[in-house]
Amino acid sequence: MLVSANAFAQAPNPPLLPKPTVTKDDPQVYNVTRNGLEMNVQYRGPRECALAFLQQAREEGWNKEEQAEQAAKVPPGGYLLGYWSRSTAALASAEHFTITVEAADGHPIVRWQSPVSKPEQLRLGTSILYTEVVTVHLPVPLADGDRVLVEESTVKKRFVFVIRL
């Protein structure tokens, strides 16, 4: 069967995903959902953790025992920091958020959910925002193309971030 070139030209194009944009806080984390200030994610890998650790050890004058004790607390894959602000303490509570880190091939690396949370108040002029900051310990370093999925259960939103190293 012969198909004319016009038949291909008239076929509908598949929907395109939005082009990821770099977040304002971390050039390694690209925001796919373009949510502005609604949700932010930062990644500090093992190399950045080691440099920050050495700087703090120098500044505070830690001895070898203190250095070994503090080094044991650093996870092998580094940290993922998630933070958000909402209009009420109930909406900002980390109990309503689930953070899943996936490898580029879709396999889950870690899943985080908090059973208890107490958001902090932040006064901006006459309004009050409630903010929450969470730290996710990573068992392995993230690679280029890994994804961070944040699900907010109260409003059924899902935020997607892509790691670019």
Side-chain angles (χ1 to χ4, degrees):
M1 175 175 160
L2 294 174
V3 179
S4 69
N6 289 340
F8 288 113
Q10 295 172 357
N13 292 331
L16 298 174
L17 290 173
K19 184 177 178 183
T21 58
V22 70
T23 57
K24 68 180 184 73
D25 296 313
D26 190 343
Q28 297 181 130
V29 179
Y30 280 68
N31 187 348
V32 176
T33 47
R34 297 182 194 217
N35 57 341
L37 300 174
E38 207 171 345
M39 171 70 58
N40 288 299
V41 170
Q42 290 182 335
Y43 171 58
R44 177 172 271 186
R47 184 176 184 277
E48 292 89 359
C49 288
L51 291 173
F53 175 79
L54 289 174
Q55 182 179 357
Q56 186 176 2
R58 236 180 284 122
E59 289 172 358
E60 296 182 13
W62 291 345
N63 60 26
K64 296 288 183 190
E65 293 80 29
E66 289 174 319
Q67 286 182 18
E69 182 181 315
Q70 294 299 322
K73 296 179 184 177
V74 178
Y79 297 97
L80 191 69
L81 182 73
Y83 53 99
W84 52 84
S85 297
R86 299 293 183 265
S87 58
T88 66
L91 290 176
S93 174
E95 299 168 14
H96 304 296
F97 291 85
T98 302
I99 299 174
T100 306
V101 180
E102 291 181 346
D105 60 3
H107 288 78
I109 295 173
V110 68
R111 181 180 171 91
W112 177 92
Q113 191 166 16
S114 174
V116 180
S117 172
K118 182 151 174 50
E120 294 183 23
Q121 277 189 7
L122 177 66
R123 186 173 294 278
L124 296 172
T126 59
S127 61
I128 296 176
L129 282 179
Y130 295 87
T131 62
E132 185 71 79
V133 178
V134 299
T135 304
V136 180
H137 296 230
L138 299 171
V140 295
L142 297 183
D144 193 52
D146 289 352
R147 295 185 309 160
V148 178
L149 310 171
V150 183
E151 296 177 32
E152 185 175 359
S153 64
T154 55
V155 290
K156 307 271 189 276
K157 283 190 177 179
R158 185 174 188 178
F159 305 100
V160 180
F161 300 90
V162 177
I163 304 297
R164 297 282 184 227
L165 301 177

